[in-house]
Amino acid sequence: MSLMNKDIKKIAIVRLSALGDIVNSAVVLQFIHSNYPDAKIDWICEEVFSDILEEHPHIHQLHTINLKKFKKEKSLKLLKETISKLRNLGEYDLIIDMQGLIKSAVVSRLIGKNTHGFDKNSTRESLAALFYKTTATIPYESNVVERNCYVVSSALGFKIDKEMLLNKEPIFPIRGNFELRTDKRNIAFIIGASWESKIYPKERVAKVCDALQEQCYILWGNEKEKADALWITQHSKYATLAPELSLGSLLSFISNMDLLIGNDTGPTHMAWAQNIPSITLLGPTTTRMIYETPKNIGIKSSSDVNILKIDKNDFSIKDIEPQLIVDKAKELLN
């Protein structure tokens, strides 16, 4: 770990995607600010995820790129525009790649020379390390939040320990309030995920709602999830379809909940980010993907998981008994 360098006045954080990874990375902002209160922190991310970082008090400037669009359209014009934009962001004393992929490493190096990231043994794409001036060593199998914190703290010469994470401030500002029931506890259910094998069956979600007998909001992000959410509301009188929400509104909605229950996906991680009690349901992944606290827990299926070779055909999440979720939920609510 390097020593603190108070000459560092301008920092760029590169974390392009995905939603959950950005949520789990943004925790570092409050710790950078407390150790470098005069430093300006810029963040570079994919445009589609920028809403979650808008109006963050510790971000000086938010810069967006659209690599997803370039990949889809194969547009040379868009590529040239992106390269030009990155090269003209200005001088940075330190550029930290929190993602550790070749694409994020290239982005970091286009921004400037003072790059820092994971070493070749600490990331899935070892070639990324070739683009960094300095590197950090932490096993890839380590908890993702701890990895995020270490790659930043090692570059800036301070420590982020477990006590700091347990006592963190909510990561994101709340931009709005919602009229919610006061006679029952308000519980959000995140029913979608990027892989089918990460999704807890809708039939079992309805059973959990029935057993809890609280106000259960079923959140959705696309038409398929909306159809599943409607099915749940039709099969449990305690379930209500949540309104359509932007990323920023979703964050604020979750910040007003008493509890969140969800699959291993970005919106579920928002509960931990905002210090809201949560239960993450895990099948093909493990608690490595979340930061467990006394009020943020994971329930893992019985399957064995090799973090270095995730099996997307592991549908064991369906074997998690609804009653186990209900019991843990009641503990957290009480």
Side-chain angles (χ1 to χ4, degrees):
M1 181 181 290
S2 62
L3 298 174
M4 285 188 67
N5 181 358
K6 290 300 183 180
D7 292 331
I8 293 176
K9 299 297 183 185
K10 196 171 182 188
I11 301 165
I13 299 290
V14 177
R15 183 83 214 201
L16 305 176
S17 59
L19 177 60
D21 297 313
I22 291 173
V23 169
N24 284 337
S25 297
V27 68
V28 302
L29 291 168
Q30 60 190 274
F31 303 124
I32 298 174
H33 178 71
S34 64
N35 284 279
Y36 291 83
D38 298 322
K40 292 180 178 177
I41 308 167
D42 290 357
W43 192 297
I44 296 86
C45 74
E46 285 274 5
E47 187 177 308
V48 67
F49 301 117
S50 62
D51 189 34
I52 193 76
L53 295 166
E54 293 284 356
E55 302 178 32
H56 196 289
H58 301 322
I59 294 178
H60 174 245
Q61 282 191 301
L62 178 61
H63 302 288
T64 64
I65 58 176
N66 206 331
L67 296 183
K68 290 181 180 291
K69 185 177 180 181
F70 163 71
K71 188 176 180 181
K72 182 180 179 180
E73 298 182 0
K74 305 290 192 295
S75 168
L76 188 60
K77 180 175 180 287
L78 179 58
L79 178 62
K80 287 180 178 178
E81 289 174 353
T82 302
I83 292 172
S84 176
K85 179 178 182 177
L86 292 170
R87 283 179 169 167
N88 288 287
L89 291 183
E91 294 290 326
Y92 289 96
D93 299 308
L94 185 62
I95 303 151
I96 305 174
D97 178 11
M98 296 186 69
Q99 194 148 354
L101 300 179
I102 293 172
K103 66 177 180 180
S104 59
V106 170
V107 166
S108 301
R109 189 62 183 80
L110 285 169
I111 295 169
K113 295 180 180 179
N114 299 319
T115 53
H116 179 84
F118 296 104
D119 75 5
K120 65 179 183 179
N121 297 315
S122 302
T123 183
R124 286 189 294 119
E125 298 184 4
S126 58
L127 289 176
L130 296 173
F131 294 87
Y132 310 136
K133 186 176 180 180
T134 58
T135 57
T137 302
I138 182 169
Y140 179 73
E141 299 86 352
S142 301
N143 179 272
V144 292
V145 173
E146 292 176 354
R147 278 171 55 83
N148 292 337
C149 290
Y150 186 74
V151 74
V152 169
S153 63
S154 64
L156 291 167
F158 62 86
K159 187 176 181 180
I160 302 173
D161 59 28
K162 293 183 185 297
E163 185 176 351
M164 292 165 69
L165 287 170
L166 287 172
N167 293 298
K168 75 181 192 320
E169 299 170 358
I171 295 174
F172 302 100
I174 300 174
R175 302 182 213 166
N177 291 303
F178 296 83
E179 289 188 18
L180 302 171
R181 290 181 64 166
T182 56
D183 59 324
K184 286 185 177 291
R185 262 77 68 88
N186 294 286
I187 303 173
F189 280 78
I190 305 296
I191 62 168
S194 54
W195 316 334
E196 197 68 30
S197 57
K198 281 185 173 185
I199 296 174
Y200 193 59
K202 62 181 184 290
E203 296 83 2
R204 296 203 142 195
V205 173
K207 288 181 179 179
V208 174
C209 294
D210 278 343
L212 287 172
Q213 298 184 16
E214 302 287 359
Q215 175 59 67
C216 300
Y217 291 99
I218 315 301
L219 283 78
W220 54 278
N222 56 46
E223 288 306 310
K224 182 187 182 303
E225 289 175 15
K226 186 177 182 180
D228 287 343
L230 282 168
W231 187 96
I232 294 166
T233 64
Q234 292 161 2
H235 289 80
S236 172
K237 67 178 182 180
Y238 298 99
T240 300
L241 184 73
E244 184 174 7
L245 299 165
S246 66
L247 280 183
S249 297
L250 173 64
L251 181 87
S252 296
F253 190 83
I254 289 171
S255 300
N256 283 277
M257 292 291 107
D258 296 303
L259 174 68
L260 181 145
I261 301 171
N263 306 312
D264 176 15
T265 187
T268 302
H269 301 316
M270 289 181 186
W272 168 77
Q274 299 303 94
N275 297 339
I276 299 299
S278 64
I279 299 172
T280 305
L281 306 177
L282 302 151
T285 56
T286 72
T287 52
R288 171 187 179 269
M289 310 306 295
I290 64 175
Y291 196 81
E292 289 195 288
T293 75
K295 63 180 183 181
N296 303 103
I297 65 171
I299 297 179
K300 172 72 182 83
S301 68
S302 59
S303 69
D304 293 325
V305 174
N306 178 0
I307 283 300
L308 300 176
K309 193 176 181 181
I310 296 290
D311 179 10
K312 292 186 178 182
N313 291 313
D314 172 4
F315 285 86
S316 60
I317 192 170
K318 64 180 174 53
D319 298 329
I320 297 174
E321 290 296 333
Q323 190 57 49
L324 176 58
I325 300 169
V326 171
D327 292 343
K328 293 295 183 182
K330 288 181 176 179
E331 287 177 20
L332 292 173
L333 289 168
N334 294 328

